[in-house]
Amino acid sequence: MRLGSFVALLIGILLPGCSSGPSEEIALGDQLLIEGKAEEALGHYQAAVEQDPDDLDARLRIARVHLALGREAEARAALDEAVLRADAERARVLVRGAEVLLDAGASQVALGWLQERAGPDAQDPEVLAMRGRAELDLGRIAEAVATFESAAGDRTDPRRLALLGTSYYLAGLQELARAARGSDQAEIEASRRRAASPLSEAKNPLQEARYLDPSNASVHLSLGQLHHQAGRFEEAMLEYRLARRLAPGNPEPALVMGGVHFEQGRYEEALADLEEARRLGAAERASFFLGMTYWAMKRPAESMGAFGQALAAHPELERQVLAWMAQRRSENVPALIDLVDSEDAQVAAGSVRLLRGLSGQDLGGDEAAWREWWTSQEARPGSDPDR
């Protein structure tokens, strides 16, 4: 889970929650999205924008739904309008919009959109970071590192050095992801070798940043992630605790600490960390990892509720949930079927949604039909339920 956890956090978009004003419309849209009713959800998000045209969260949700439905032009139009209305916060809106596109796997679109819309904010460090991420996603690693070098400037700004270190880290992480997806052993080994150099390069700018500004919580967080990826959990936790002490209102340290505890099988501690992250404002990201933790603890109803909250705002995360569930399909499918007739509508809808994704079948809320289908899968000669 180490690679997936880090990518999920760094790509880390994840909307901070509903705004005041049109919050009821957004909440209704989120519930419909959980139930798989994307078009109806879109109507509520659009109603939220009509109530408050400056509501960024609603516009980002509109773009996400359009992307999930394959409507790229409409998604870009929603993001363009958000930028036009941004005024003084234009760079921040560019970053949030690029994150929406990157999360949907539209890296080429994200890169082109930034090039077209960045304008006077083209050299903003955070905008450059998004551009570098898009280049990384497209496999243009040398260009990405150069972009992050530009963001780092003269290497006297600790925040930019942290971005540079993170870029090298992402470059290495990308190669490790290729290795994880590969089927040819020679290609897998080549990707692992290519990962070694950028992962090594990440350490120096991060340490420089820590020297220049030892009170910079984000630097400690990035160094912790570097140790985390290498499996050095104690060193990672030391940096994460420093980050939490320096930025007590930031949910990120609690999120990544929860990830370490999850990987170590220390689920109660993971729950405490993730609940803290949720309390501090990272409700949707925390809910995603809470879903995994509750499921590992054999608390499926709570898991479905947590996953449902995360997927409402970020339907693209469903692929990650399905990939994780598929690792132990023979255990997870029967557990999901047990939840199909839950009295909790969110739990029932979430279990059906995941069953549909795992099976390719659409049997709705008919528990008996799902059990019959699963029995037929187990009875097939030579079948492997975990594949």
Side-chain angles (χ1 to χ4, degrees):
M1 294 303 304
R2 195 174 308 139
L3 177 61
S5 298
F6 180 80
V7 171
L9 289 171
L10 230 98
I11 290 184
I13 181 150
L14 305 152
L15 300 170
C18 300
S19 57
S20 55
S23 58
E24 184 177 349
E25 293 289 353
I26 291 178
L28 288 169
D30 288 350
Q31 180 59 42
L32 287 165
L33 205 57
I34 292 172
E35 298 170 9
K37 300 174 181 177
E39 292 287 1
E40 293 179 49
L42 186 61
H44 285 283
Y45 298 148
Q46 289 168 336
V49 168
E50 290 173 7
Q51 292 179 29
D52 181 1
D54 293 325
D55 191 292
L56 178 60
D57 287 351
R59 290 192 183 277
L60 294 179
R61 278 170 161 83
I62 289 170
R64 288 181 184 280
V65 174
H66 279 310
L67 286 168
L69 295 172
R71 301 198 292 246
E72 180 186 301
E74 289 88 342
R76 285 193 54 156
L79 297 177
D80 287 344
E81 183 64 25
V83 172
L84 286 172
R85 304 189 69 87
D87 296 328
E89 295 191 329
R90 192 172 183 279
R92 183 178 74 90
V93 175
L94 283 166
V95 169
R96 296 284 297 280
E99 286 175 331
V100 167
L101 294 167
L102 289 169
D103 276 358
S107 304
Q108 187 65 61
V109 177
L111 184 58
W113 185 73
L114 284 173
Q115 290 169 338
E116 291 174 17
R117 301 299 178 201
D121 299 302
Q123 296 304 308
D124 179 272
E126 301 296 339
V127 174
L128 283 170
M130 287 299 105
R131 176 179 160 184
R133 275 185 44 195
E135 290 166 340
L136 280 175
D137 286 350
L138 294 168
R140 294 155 61 170
I141 293 175
E143 293 175 53
V145 171
T147 297
F148 282 110
E149 286 277 9
S150 297
D154 60 2
R155 300 180 77 92
T156 59
D157 183 335
R159 187 169 67 98
R160 295 189 181 197
L161 282 167
L163 283 172
L164 177 60
T166 299
S167 74
Y168 280 120
Y169 191 35
L170 281 171
L173 207 64
Q174 184 184 59
E175 291 297 338
L176 290 178
R178 284 201 183 97
R181 295 192 301 265
S183 56
D184 181 83
Q185 192 60 38
E187 292 179 4
I188 290 172
E189 292 301 324
S191 291
R192 288 175 178 165
R193 287 193 299 271
R194 286 194 297 270
S197 177
L199 288 174
S200 176
E201 291 284 347
K203 188 175 182 180
N204 288 337
L206 289 173
Q207 289 182 328
E208 288 178 50
R210 182 172 59 180
Y211 174 77
L212 288 167
D213 185 7
S215 65
N216 189 319
S218 66
V219 172
H220 290 288
L221 190 66
S222 295
L223 278 168
Q225 289 165 331
L226 193 62
H227 290 307
H228 190 172
Q229 175 61 38
R232 298 189 293 267
F233 293 136
E234 292 304 316
E235 292 94 329
M237 290 298 285
L238 175 63
E239 297 291 348
Y240 291 158
R241 290 189 185 104
L242 282 169
R244 182 168 63 179
R245 179 168 60 82
L246 290 166
N250 185 350
E252 300 296 333
L255 277 170
V256 289
M257 289 172 70
V260 171
H261 285 140
F262 178 86
E263 291 177 47
Q264 293 177 319
R266 296 159 62 177
Y267 299 132
E268 292 292 347
E269 291 171 85
L271 284 181
D273 292 328
L274 295 169
E275 288 293 351
E276 178 185 349
R278 182 152 65 176
R279 179 180 59 79
L280 291 173
E284 289 151 5
R285 276 181 291 174
S287 293
F288 178 76
F289 294 108
L290 279 167
M292 293 168 56
T293 305
Y294 280 129
W295 193 265
M297 296 174 74
K298 310 297 185 186
R299 293 163 65 175
E302 291 163 289
S303 174
M304 286 298 99
F307 276 139
Q309 292 175 31
L311 296 180
H314 299 283
E316 71 279 356
L317 290 178
E318 183 175 346
R319 288 176 293 179
Q320 293 185 38
V321 178
L322 290 173
W324 185 67
M325 286 276 183
Q327 293 174 14
R328 305 184 71 172
R329 191 167 179 266
S330 60
E331 295 180 23
N332 292 336
V333 168
L336 287 169
I337 292 173
D338 288 340
L339 300 174
V340 167
D341 64 349
S342 171
E343 294 181 0
D344 186 319
Q346 186 181 55
V347 170
S351 63
V352 170
R353 179 176 181 172
L354 293 180
L355 283 168
R356 189 183 301 124
L358 287 167
S359 67
Q361 306 292 312
D362 190 1
L363 303 177
D366 189 336
E367 181 188 0
W370 281 114
R371 292 196 186 283
E372 182 179 350
W373 167 79
W374 182 243
T375 300
S376 71
Q377 296 297 297
E378 293 179 303
R380 286 191 313 177
S383 66
D384 181 356
D386 283 320
R387 297 192 64 182

